[in-house]
Amino acid sequence: MEVLHCTTLASPVGPLFLAASQQGLAALEFDQRLPGQQTIRPNPRDLRAESKSVRFEECEQELSPYGGELEEYFAGRRREFSFPLDLRGTDFQEACWRALLKIPYGETRSYADIARAVGRPQGFRAVGMANNRNPIAIVVPCHRVIASDGTLCGYGGGLDVKRKLLELEGALSGTLAA
């Protein structure tokens, strides 16, 4: 059985749940998830047991390097994360997430841009679904993806959080700021 170390970190956008494997950060989730939003954690309300293959162990100390870099990011002192990631998804999802990692701090891309980057120029809706399944919010910056008309749309943490992250990065201008 795989053990994922986990903790909850306070942040300017609310509590964040972090989980890491031996390979790297496997999850960064908003503690207040939207209905139907994917999660790595079991739902305590329906008393589901943890997966037979994964067990969570609370361990703030193991997650402190990740938390430290996130605190630097929120303080405006970090533009890139240096820790390893343990991305878990389909080949298409992972291709989309790796494309997101290439979006520079302070910039945005459209869903269509990401679709072209992964070789599926008509797959902007599929890109949107891959973003929706992104297990490592903020670090895998799906908040930097906007609609082709330049407006904010869809974000697991809510549009207010997306706006705050883009403001922090200095990426809000014109239509985005409206």
Side-chain angles (χ1 to χ4, degrees):
M1 177 179 289
E2 180 182 25
V3 173
L4 293 181
H5 292 109
C6 64
T7 193
T8 300
L9 176 75
S11 85
V13 294
L16 301 172
F17 173 81
L18 284 73
S21 69
Q22 293 293 334
Q23 289 73 42
L25 188 66
L28 192 164
E29 300 176 353
F30 296 100
D31 206 44
Q32 300 298 317
R33 292 179 310 282
L34 299 175
Q37 188 178 352
Q38 184 171 328
T39 178
I40 194 171
R41 297 175 281 180
N43 184 345
R45 282 178 282 200
D46 66 14
L47 303 177
R48 281 186 286 153
E50 292 181 43
S51 162
K52 300 263 189 263
S53 60
V54 176
R55 181 171 53 87
F56 292 97
E57 245 178 49
E58 181 74 29
C59 189
E60 187 176 331
Q61 184 177 1
E62 285 286 326
L63 280 290
S64 65
Y66 305 104
E69 287 194 24
L70 284 162
E71 288 171 3
E72 290 171 359
Y73 168 81
F74 285 118
R77 296 190 315 267
R78 176 171 291 278
R79 292 174 167 235
E80 294 180 8
F81 297 96
S82 65
F83 47 75
L85 301 177
D86 182 2
L87 294 173
R88 299 173 182 210
T90 66
D91 290 345
F92 178 75
Q93 288 171 332
E94 289 186 27
C96 290
W97 301 335
R98 292 194 190 290
L100 298 177
L101 288 165
K102 293 178 182 175
I103 304 172
Y105 180 97
E107 294 184 22
T108 59
R109 299 290 184 271
S110 71
Y111 291 95
D113 292 333
I114 301 301
R116 285 189 293 275
V118 299
R120 301 257 313 262
Q122 300 303 312
F124 51 89
R125 284 190 179 91
V127 166
M129 288 308 299
N131 276 12
N132 180 265
R133 301 279 189 252
N134 174 12
I136 308 176
I138 302 169
V139 176
V140 177
C142 54
H143 62 277
R144 295 180 188 157
V145 181
I146 59 172
S148 291
D149 68 1
T151 59
L152 296 184
C153 61
Y155 190 61
L159 289 182
D160 287 344
V161 170
K162 185 171 191 166
R163 183 179 308 281
K164 284 180 187 177
L165 294 172
L166 292 173
E167 284 174 355
L168 171 72
E169 295 182 6
L172 282 185
S173 62
T175 310
L176 289 178

